[in-house]
Amino acid sequence: MLRFIDYIFFLTTYKEAGAINRVEDASYVIQGYLMAMQDDALNEFMFNFSSFMCNKLGITDRIEWSKVIRFNAHSDAHSLELFENFFRDYVNSMD
């Protein structure tokens, strides 16, 4: 799990390394990673991230995290900033 979290923080820090320009790009990379690893714990971790975001924003339905971020972002760069902030809050909430 820690390796996955480090990978996500690497991608948000060095966006050009993964050609990440918007939250959808990050979502595609994460989905690819999850499919390649086929790890139920990682899938549950990201499912819970969506739930965490919805709860934090007062959304009663569970909506996929990248869609929630896109709806709340005013630009591509802002969508990545929101993702990084929400993801960091989510990881910190697990400590």
Side-chain angles (χ1 to χ4, degrees), residues 37-76:
M37 298 308 288
Q38 296 184 5
D39 184 339
D40 290 338
L42 290 178
N43 287 325
E44 183 178 345
F45 178 79
M46 289 309 292
F47 180 88
N48 291 338
F49 176 54
S50 292
S51 299
F52 171 83
M53 285 192 53
C54 290
N55 287 337
K56 194 158 180 122
L57 295 171
I59 300 170
T60 55
D61 296 333
R62 194 194 83 60
I63 302 170
E64 201 257 333
W65 60 269
S66 65
K67 292 178 182 173
V68 173
I69 291 174
R70 173 49 64 197
F71 181 77
N72 287 282
H74 56 77
S75 69
D76 289 344

Side-chain angles (χ1 to χ4, degrees), residues 1 4-5 9 41-53 56 82-95:
M1 180 73 65
F4 174 71
I5 293 169
F9 285 133
L42 290 178
N43 287 325
E44 183 178 345
F45 178 79
M46 289 309 292
F47 180 88
N48 291 338
F49 176 54
S50 292
S51 299
F52 171 83
M53 285 192 53
K56 194 158 180 122
L82 287 176
F83 170 65
E84 185 174 5
N85 291 338
F86 277 117
F87 192 77
R88 190 172 306 281
D89 289 348
Y90 174 59
V91 170
N92 289 339
S93 75
M94 299 177 70
D95 292 339

